[in-house]
Amino acid sequence: MADTSIFAEGFKTDPYWWDAAPPDTEGDAPLPDRADVVVVGSGYTGLSAALELARGGVDVAVLEAHRFGEGASTRSGGMLSGGVNVGKGGDIERLYGADRVQAMIEEAAESYGHFERIIERESIDCQYRRSGRFVGAHTPAAFAAMAARVETLNAHAAAEARLVPRERQREELGSDFYYGGMVVERAGGVHPSLYHQGLRRACRAAGVRLCANTAVEGIDGKAGDLAVRTSRGTVRAREVVLGTNGHTGAATPWFRRRVVPVGSYIIATEPLGEARIRELFPSMRVVADTKRVLFYFRPSPDGTRVVFGGRASFRTKTALETAPVLYDYMLGVFPQLRGAKISHAWTGNVAFTFDRVPHMGERDGVHYALGCNGSGVVMMSHLGHRTALKILGKTNRPSAFEGLPFETRPLYHGKPWFLPAVGAWYKLRDWIDRRLAP
């Protein structure tokens, strides 16, 4: 049973972000009989693709199984980066070669610029701030590995990265938990629900038909003549864009076998006051770390709360069940927060791929952009945009994430039965690393 003493009065198991921009069905359109392109999923991927397609003169319908803004796009920590996390935890250079990996990092860096242009072009007020990111090294060895990466990140991702030794860590973070770290200036934070709301409004203004509470049940036919079966009827389309990421389900079994949904859990504290937050985050940067079971946290956009996330469980658990775990994690980094209460706790699925990189491509008329690997706000917005440009015939070159072998594993059909064992192994390795650190 959860320790209720840590919960503030009025505690919610909805995302903190929904206080300002809750899910809705505003502008819900009737399901059309036909569209040039049907987009499945109204997250950042789907809306970014739909917006670009509509601006290119294409008739687009977006199908959302629930309310607009109810899925994973509005459940993130709202932390942004460009190129820093590509392939994290995987051996992508062995798989794809140094040149392809360099191209991926460069494109991921470009995606950050695309995000900034979109919110400026569409006048989206989403509390975006290019605050920079501090990446904490959980061991001295992790800090040494960072030192080896800084030059590459600056050369290919324009990251404006620099090392912060442990003796200067307090300039960035009011904590001694890490062994130094790395500052990446080309990074920041956003209010994810306000960003999503802004994309929805831009799509409606461009003529996109947004269909809420329309669950896709299957896709039949071939490129040029596809039938998308839904809970509200069938719509025919020339092409389909799949942007379901961590909620890819039985309606698209081939894709479901290639993404691994992983629950990510987040809490937000009650308001602590700007002065106290400044003590915890002197530079007001967003923060992540190098552990296999990572922590990611930040000051809220208004500078009054801590928003703290991590893999609190590798089993399916409720936000209420995992909130005390995250609270303990938070106290491990910030022991001075003991006694602070939690106002919100929530969860959402991210989508991992077996090679740890995002994938973009087309199969039988279904275009896809899947597998954010936990870094989706910028990247999935970008890949949705790139997918639309491909359909419009406006690309000058293929995406570095396009056409990669999209692998699955034997006995995997979309339900990650292996995650508890993998998660336990990762936690053990992190624990051993910390115990052996001087």
Short mmCIF file of all heavy atoms in Angstrom, two decimals, residues 70-111:
data_model
loop_
_atom_site.label_atom_id
_atom_site.label_comp_id
_atom_site.label_asym_id
_atom_site.label_seq_id
_atom_site.Cartn_x
_atom_site.Cartn_y
_atom_site.Cartn_z
N GLU A 70 -4.49 12.86 -24.79
CA GLU A 70 -4.58 11.92 -23.68
C GLU A 70 -3.42 10.94 -23.66
O GLU A 70 -3.14 10.32 -22.64
CB GLU A 70 -5.90 11.15 -23.77
CG GLU A 70 -6.24 10.38 -22.52
CD GLU A 70 -7.71 9.99 -22.44
OE1 GLU A 70 -8.52 10.52 -23.22
OE2 GLU A 70 -8.04 9.16 -21.59
N GLY A 71 -2.73 10.77 -24.77
CA GLY A 71 -1.70 9.75 -24.88
C GLY A 71 -0.34 10.21 -24.38
O GLY A 71 -0.20 11.20 -23.66
N ALA A 72 0.67 9.48 -24.82
CA ALA A 72 2.01 9.64 -24.23
C ALA A 72 2.66 10.98 -24.53
O ALA A 72 3.52 11.43 -23.77
CB ALA A 72 2.92 8.50 -24.72
N SER A 73 2.27 11.65 -25.61
CA SER A 73 2.92 12.92 -25.94
C SER A 73 2.76 13.96 -24.84
O SER A 73 3.64 14.79 -24.65
CB SER A 73 2.39 13.47 -27.27
OG SER A 73 2.90 12.74 -28.36
N THR A 74 1.65 13.93 -24.14
CA THR A 74 1.44 14.91 -23.06
C THR A 74 1.81 14.34 -21.70
O THR A 74 1.54 14.97 -20.67
CB THR A 74 -0.03 15.37 -23.01
OG1 THR A 74 -0.86 14.24 -22.68
CG2 THR A 74 -0.46 15.95 -24.33
N ARG A 75 2.44 13.18 -21.67
CA ARG A 75 2.79 12.52 -20.40
C ARG A 75 4.30 12.50 -20.16
O ARG A 75 4.78 11.87 -19.23
CB ARG A 75 2.25 11.09 -20.40
CG ARG A 75 0.73 11.02 -20.42
CD ARG A 75 0.22 9.60 -20.59
NE ARG A 75 -1.22 9.54 -20.54
CZ ARG A 75 -1.95 9.34 -19.43
NH1 ARG A 75 -1.32 9.16 -18.27
NH2 ARG A 75 -3.25 9.30 -19.47
N SER A 76 5.06 13.17 -21.00
CA SER A 76 6.51 13.14 -20.89
C SER A 76 6.99 14.13 -19.84
O SER A 76 6.19 14.85 -19.22
CB SER A 76 7.15 13.48 -22.24
OG SER A 76 7.09 14.87 -22.48
N GLY A 77 8.30 14.19 -19.67
CA GLY A 77 8.87 15.19 -18.78
C GLY A 77 9.08 16.53 -19.46
O GLY A 77 9.48 17.50 -18.80
N GLY A 78 8.84 16.58 -20.78
CA GLY A 78 8.99 17.84 -21.50
C GLY A 78 10.43 18.29 -21.64
O GLY A 78 10.72 19.49 -21.71
N MET A 79 11.35 17.31 -21.71
CA MET A 79 12.78 17.63 -21.83
C MET A 79 13.24 17.43 -23.27
O MET A 79 12.89 16.43 -23.91
CB MET A 79 13.59 16.76 -20.87
CG MET A 79 13.27 17.10 -19.42
SD MET A 79 13.86 15.90 -18.20
CE MET A 79 15.61 15.83 -18.57
N LEU A 80 14.02 18.36 -23.77
CA LEU A 80 14.38 18.41 -25.19
C LEU A 80 15.88 18.27 -25.38
O LEU A 80 16.67 18.84 -24.64
CB LEU A 80 13.95 19.74 -25.80
CG LEU A 80 12.53 20.22 -25.48
CD1 LEU A 80 12.32 21.61 -26.04
CD2 LEU A 80 11.49 19.26 -26.02
N SER A 81 16.26 17.52 -26.40
CA SER A 81 17.68 17.43 -26.78
C SER A 81 17.76 17.17 -28.27
O SER A 81 16.78 16.76 -28.89
CB SER A 81 18.39 16.32 -26.00
OG SER A 81 17.86 15.06 -26.34
N GLY A 82 18.92 17.39 -28.82
CA GLY A 82 19.13 17.14 -30.23
C GLY A 82 20.42 16.40 -30.47
O GLY A 82 21.49 16.99 -30.52
N GLY A 83 20.36 15.09 -30.59
CA GLY A 83 21.53 14.30 -30.94
C GLY A 83 22.27 13.67 -29.80
O GLY A 83 23.04 12.73 -29.99
N VAL A 84 22.02 14.12 -28.57
CA VAL A 84 22.79 13.64 -27.44
C VAL A 84 22.47 12.18 -27.10
O VAL A 84 23.34 11.40 -26.72
CB VAL A 84 22.55 14.53 -26.20
CG1 VAL A 84 23.27 13.98 -24.99
CG2 VAL A 84 23.02 15.95 -26.49
N ASN A 85 21.20 11.79 -27.27
CA ASN A 85 20.78 10.47 -26.82
C ASN A 85 20.64 9.44 -27.93
O ASN A 85 20.16 8.33 -27.67
CB ASN A 85 19.42 10.59 -26.10
CG ASN A 85 19.55 11.33 -24.80
OD1 ASN A 85 20.56 11.27 -24.12
ND2 ASN A 85 18.51 12.08 -24.45
N VAL A 86 21.04 9.75 -29.14
CA VAL A 86 20.89 8.80 -30.24
C VAL A 86 21.68 7.52 -29.96
O VAL A 86 22.89 7.55 -29.75
CB VAL A 86 21.35 9.41 -31.58
CG1 VAL A 86 21.39 8.35 -32.67
CG2 VAL A 86 20.42 10.53 -31.98
N GLY A 87 20.96 6.40 -29.92
CA GLY A 87 21.61 5.11 -29.74
C GLY A 87 22.12 4.86 -28.34
O GLY A 87 22.87 3.89 -28.13
N LYS A 88 21.71 5.66 -27.36
CA LYS A 88 22.20 5.48 -26.00
C LYS A 88 21.92 4.07 -25.51
O LYS A 88 20.81 3.58 -25.58
CB LYS A 88 21.54 6.50 -25.06
CG LYS A 88 22.01 6.39 -23.62
CD LYS A 88 21.31 7.40 -22.73
CE LYS A 88 21.73 7.26 -21.28
NZ LYS A 88 21.03 8.21 -20.39
N GLY A 89 22.96 3.41 -25.02
CA GLY A 89 22.81 2.06 -24.49
C GLY A 89 22.93 0.96 -25.51
O GLY A 89 22.88 -0.22 -25.18
N GLY A 90 23.10 1.32 -26.80
CA GLY A 90 23.22 0.31 -27.84
C GLY A 90 24.54 0.43 -28.57
O GLY A 90 25.29 1.39 -28.40
N ASP A 91 24.83 -0.55 -29.42
CA ASP A 91 26.08 -0.56 -30.18
C ASP A 91 25.77 -0.26 -31.64
O ASP A 91 25.94 -1.09 -32.52
CB ASP A 91 26.76 -1.93 -30.03
CG ASP A 91 28.18 -1.93 -30.58
OD1 ASP A 91 28.65 -0.86 -31.01
OD2 ASP A 91 28.80 -3.01 -30.59
N ILE A 92 25.30 0.97 -31.90
CA ILE A 92 24.82 1.28 -33.23
C ILE A 92 25.95 1.44 -34.24
O ILE A 92 25.75 1.25 -35.44
CB ILE A 92 23.91 2.52 -33.24
CG1 ILE A 92 24.62 3.76 -32.70
CG2 ILE A 92 22.65 2.25 -32.46
CD1 ILE A 92 23.80 5.03 -32.88
N GLU A 93 27.14 1.81 -33.77
CA GLU A 93 28.25 1.94 -34.72
C GLU A 93 28.62 0.58 -35.31
O GLU A 93 28.93 0.47 -36.49
CB GLU A 93 29.45 2.59 -34.05
CG GLU A 93 30.54 3.00 -35.04
CD GLU A 93 31.49 4.02 -34.48
OE1 GLU A 93 31.03 5.03 -33.91
OE2 GLU A 93 32.71 3.80 -34.61
N ARG A 94 28.57 -0.45 -34.50
CA ARG A 94 28.83 -1.81 -35.01
C ARG A 94 27.75 -2.22 -35.99
O ARG A 94 28.02 -2.86 -37.01
CB ARG A 94 28.88 -2.80 -33.85
CG ARG A 94 29.10 -4.26 -34.29
CD ARG A 94 29.04 -5.21 -33.12
NE ARG A 94 27.76 -5.18 -32.45
CZ ARG A 94 26.67 -5.84 -32.89
NH1 ARG A 94 26.71 -6.54 -34.01
NH2 ARG A 94 25.53 -5.77 -32.21
N LEU A 95 26.50 -1.82 -35.73
CA LEU A 95 25.40 -2.22 -36.60
C LEU A 95 25.39 -1.46 -37.92
O LEU A 95 25.14 -2.04 -38.98
CB LEU A 95 24.06 -1.97 -35.88
CG LEU A 95 23.72 -2.88 -34.70
CD1 LEU A 95 22.46 -2.39 -34.00
CD2 LEU A 95 23.52 -4.31 -35.19
N TYR A 96 25.65 -0.16 -37.85
CA TYR A 96 25.41 0.68 -39.02
C TYR A 96 26.63 1.42 -39.55
O TYR A 96 26.55 2.05 -40.61
CB TYR A 96 24.31 1.71 -38.69
CG TYR A 96 23.02 1.05 -38.29
CD1 TYR A 96 22.41 1.32 -37.08
CD2 TYR A 96 22.40 0.12 -39.13
CE1 TYR A 96 21.22 0.71 -36.71
CE2 TYR A 96 21.21 -0.51 -38.76
CZ TYR A 96 20.63 -0.21 -37.56
OH TYR A 96 19.46 -0.82 -37.19
N GLY A 97 27.74 1.37 -38.84
CA GLY A 97 28.95 2.02 -39.31
C GLY A 97 29.05 3.45 -38.86
O GLY A 97 28.04 4.12 -38.59
N ALA A 98 30.27 3.95 -38.79
CA ALA A 98 30.53 5.28 -38.24
C ALA A 98 29.88 6.38 -39.06
O ALA A 98 29.38 7.37 -38.51
CB ALA A 98 32.04 5.51 -38.14
N ASP A 99 29.87 6.24 -40.40
CA ASP A 99 29.30 7.30 -41.24
C ASP A 99 27.80 7.43 -41.03
O ASP A 99 27.27 8.56 -40.95
CB ASP A 99 29.59 7.00 -42.72
CG ASP A 99 31.06 7.18 -43.07
OD1 ASP A 99 31.80 7.78 -42.27
OD2 ASP A 99 31.47 6.71 -44.16
N ARG A 100 27.09 6.30 -40.93
CA ARG A 100 25.64 6.36 -40.73
C ARG A 100 25.32 6.92 -39.35
O ARG A 100 24.38 7.72 -39.19
CB ARG A 100 25.03 4.96 -40.89
CG ARG A 100 23.49 4.91 -40.87
CD ARG A 100 22.91 5.66 -42.07
NE ARG A 100 21.47 5.53 -42.18
CZ ARG A 100 20.85 4.63 -42.95
NH1 ARG A 100 21.54 3.75 -43.65
NH2 ARG A 100 19.53 4.61 -43.04
N VAL A 101 26.09 6.53 -38.35
CA VAL A 101 25.86 7.05 -37.01
C VAL A 101 26.10 8.55 -36.97
O VAL A 101 25.34 9.31 -36.35
CB VAL A 101 26.75 6.33 -35.98
CG1 VAL A 101 26.66 7.01 -34.61
CG2 VAL A 101 26.32 4.87 -35.86
N GLN A 102 27.15 9.02 -37.66
CA GLN A 102 27.40 10.45 -37.73
C GLN A 102 26.21 11.18 -38.36
O GLN A 102 25.79 12.23 -37.89
CB GLN A 102 28.66 10.73 -38.54
CG GLN A 102 28.96 12.21 -38.70
CD GLN A 102 30.24 12.46 -39.49
OE1 GLN A 102 31.21 11.71 -39.37
NE2 GLN A 102 30.26 13.51 -40.29
N ALA A 103 25.67 10.58 -39.43
CA ALA A 103 24.51 11.18 -40.10
C ALA A 103 23.30 11.23 -39.16
O ALA A 103 22.53 12.20 -39.16
CB ALA A 103 24.17 10.41 -41.37
N MET A 104 23.11 10.19 -38.35
CA MET A 104 22.01 10.17 -37.39
C MET A 104 22.17 11.30 -36.37
O MET A 104 21.20 12.01 -36.06
CB MET A 104 21.97 8.82 -36.65
CG MET A 104 21.53 7.65 -37.48
SD MET A 104 21.56 6.15 -36.44
CE MET A 104 21.32 4.88 -37.67
N ILE A 105 23.37 11.44 -35.84
CA ILE A 105 23.61 12.48 -34.84
C ILE A 105 23.38 13.86 -35.44
O ILE A 105 22.77 14.74 -34.82
CB ILE A 105 25.04 12.35 -34.27
CG1 ILE A 105 25.17 11.05 -33.47
CG2 ILE A 105 25.38 13.55 -33.39
CD1 ILE A 105 26.59 10.74 -33.02
N GLU A 106 23.84 14.06 -36.66
CA GLU A 106 23.67 15.35 -37.31
C GLU A 106 22.19 15.65 -37.56
O GLU A 106 21.73 16.78 -37.36
CB GLU A 106 24.46 15.38 -38.62
CG GLU A 106 25.97 15.42 -38.40
CD GLU A 106 26.76 15.31 -39.69
OE1 GLU A 106 26.15 15.04 -40.75
OE2 GLU A 106 27.99 15.49 -39.64
N GLU A 107 21.44 14.63 -38.00
CA GLU A 107 20.02 14.86 -38.24
C GLU A 107 19.26 15.09 -36.94
O GLU A 107 18.34 15.91 -36.89
CB GLU A 107 19.40 13.69 -39.00
CG GLU A 107 17.94 13.95 -39.35
CD GLU A 107 17.34 12.92 -40.28
OE1 GLU A 107 18.10 12.29 -41.07
OE2 GLU A 107 16.12 12.73 -40.24
N ALA A 108 19.64 14.36 -35.90
CA ALA A 108 19.01 14.60 -34.60
C ALA A 108 19.26 16.02 -34.13
O ALA A 108 18.38 16.65 -33.52
CB ALA A 108 19.52 13.59 -33.58
N ALA A 109 20.45 16.54 -34.41
CA ALA A 109 20.73 17.94 -34.07
C ALA A 109 19.87 18.88 -34.90
O ALA A 109 19.34 19.88 -34.39
CB ALA A 109 22.22 18.23 -34.30
N GLU A 110 19.67 18.56 -36.17
CA GLU A 110 18.80 19.37 -37.04
C GLU A 110 17.36 19.37 -36.53
O GLU A 110 16.63 20.36 -36.67
CB GLU A 110 18.82 18.83 -38.47
CG GLU A 110 20.15 19.00 -39.20
CD GLU A 110 20.17 18.24 -40.52
OE1 GLU A 110 19.10 17.75 -40.94
OE2 GLU A 110 21.26 18.13 -41.10
N SER A 111 16.94 18.25 -35.94
CA SER A 111 15.57 18.14 -35.46
C SER A 111 15.28 19.18 -34.39
O SER A 111 14.14 19.64 -34.25
CB SER A 111 15.29 16.73 -34.94
OG SER A 111 15.94 16.49 -33.69
#
